[in-house]
Amino acid sequence: MNSLPAQLLAGGFSWPECPRWHAGRFHFSDMYNHRVVALDAAGLPETVADLSERDGLDGAEVVPAGSGHLPDGRLLVVSMFEKVVLVVTEGADGKAEVYADLRDLAAGPVNDMVVTASGRAYVTQLGFDLWAREQPAPSPLLIVESGGAARVATGTEHLMGANGIALTEDGRTLVTAEAFANRLTAFDVGTDGELSGGRVFADIGDLPDGMCLDAEGAAWTALPVTGRAIRVADGGQVLAEVTVPRSEAGSSTACVLGGDDRRTLFLACGVEVFDFQRSRDGAQGSIWQARVQVPGGGTRP
């Protein structure tokens, strides 16, 4: 197995999550600072979407998680505890409006998201309130059609802690990280967006978090317990790993392939996930990067 060290790109964030590479730019959710941030090649941050002034529905804290872009370029952002998908006008003064209301479909906080080329989105949910120390529970995937109509994806009711999520380049296979089953699970995607043929993509033996796919169909997934990311083939063979110094980086939360040649693995890392204020004040969240051999793949990362 090829082991690659990572280098620090930027720090000073709360709990970084859900990194994306879109239209030549890297961005991620700085969750407890209520914003989506983009980094340039030198690691200098720019606020893409500021949600700090938003009043959460039902008094919920506004914590951004997964994001993606519609075909017309508009930004979608998951608001975890509100249980909604927001459509956001990008920029520090951008306005956020509810695009899809998932409150009747989600048992716990909603999480990551991938948006297809046609504008259909797949959203993961935890199935329980991790922050309230509830016990893990099933967490079916949610489908959001272009325009905001939402439903539960049939045949995904058994998923345990669906977390990171990605689509293959042709849009025909969806892969999600089942955090509390220690595996990646794949589904066939129908022309109507429904999922079928659920199967184990890879048994991990460790808790997987955020993930992405590469051009050879392998998956990179972050392993927060051990502070690294692994590249795993369909079938479970571990092909490579990227490591970060635990004393500096803490837990590895999610990863994405980007850069001009899409051979840079960006790895989001954080230290404090449960205490929002402590995470903000500590500002120990960071982004690391490593060069890999196989470029990124998949649809609309």
Side-chain angles (χ1 to χ4, degrees):
M1 179 178 63
N2 190 17
S3 184
L4 306 168
Q7 297 178 331
L8 179 66
L9 175 62
F13 309 108
S14 60
W15 184 264
E17 261 285 11
C18 306
R20 297 289 183 267
W21 182 264
H22 177 77
R25 190 152 85 151
F26 170 73
H27 63 272
F28 64 95
S29 290
D30 185 6
M31 290 175 55
Y32 304 140
N33 285 320
H34 316 292
R35 61 178 184 161
V36 179
V37 177
L39 298 181
D40 65 15
L44 296 176
E46 173 192 350
T47 297
V48 173
D50 184 354
L51 304 178
S52 61
E53 299 300 317
R54 176 175 172 79
D55 293 325
L57 299 178
D58 303 323
E61 181 106 11
V62 179
V63 174
S67 66
H69 287 80
L70 292 168
D72 63 8
R74 288 181 296 163
L75 175 67
L76 297 182
V77 179
V78 170
S79 182
M80 289 190 74
F81 298 99
E82 289 188 275
K83 302 180 185 179
V84 300
V85 177
L86 302 172
V87 60
V88 181
T89 303
E90 294 190 33
D93 300 322
K95 182 174 64 175
E97 299 176 341
V98 174
Y99 178 80
D101 190 337
L102 309 177
R103 286 177 291 177
D104 291 338
L105 303 176
V110 287
N111 194 2
D112 211 343
M113 176 175 63
V114 64
V115 183
T116 71
S118 67
R120 178 181 290 124
Y122 295 89
V123 180
T124 65
Q125 58 167 319
L126 291 181
F128 71 106
D129 192 339
L130 175 68
W131 288 261
R133 304 301 203 273
E134 294 178 357
Q135 291 299 307
S139 55
L141 299 179
L142 306 178
I143 300 174
V144 178
E145 294 291 353
S146 180
R151 65 186 186 276
V152 172
T154 302
T156 67
E157 295 85 355
H158 65 284
L159 295 175
M160 289 298 293
N163 203 327
I165 190 167
L167 282 163
T168 55
E169 195 76 42
D170 60 11
R172 295 179 181 177
T173 304
L174 179 145
V175 184
T176 188
E178 281 192 79
F180 303 107
N182 292 350
R183 66 190 177 199
L184 306 184
T185 299
F187 294 91
D188 299 325
V189 181
T191 56
D192 60 355
E194 285 296 340
L195 305 178
S196 63
R199 60 181 177 82
V200 175
F201 181 96
D203 280 316
I204 302 298
D206 199 349
L207 188 154
D209 200 330
M211 58 163 294
C212 64
L213 298 172
D214 68 22
E216 293 182 353
W220 280 96
T221 185
L223 306 178
V225 175
T226 55
R228 61 197 179 111
I230 60 170
R231 180 177 183 245
V232 59
D234 189 350
Q237 181 183 3
V238 178
L239 305 171
E241 69 173 3
V242 168
T243 59
V244 295
R246 295 297 305 279
S247 60
E248 297 178 51
S251 298
S252 51
T253 68
C255 56
V256 73
L257 288 160
D260 292 341
D261 59 2
R262 292 197 64 188
R263 285 185 167 88
T264 298
L265 185 79
F266 295 94
L267 188 59
C269 296
V271 172
E272 175 57 62
V273 67
F274 289 109
D275 188 321
F276 296 1
Q277 189 61 52
R278 184 176 177 182
S279 186
R280 283 190 288 267
D281 293 344
Q284 293 177 285
S286 56
I287 303 295
W288 297 70
Q289 59 184 356
R291 293 290 291 170
V292 301
Q293 293 183 337
V294 180
T299 301
R300 304 185 67 83

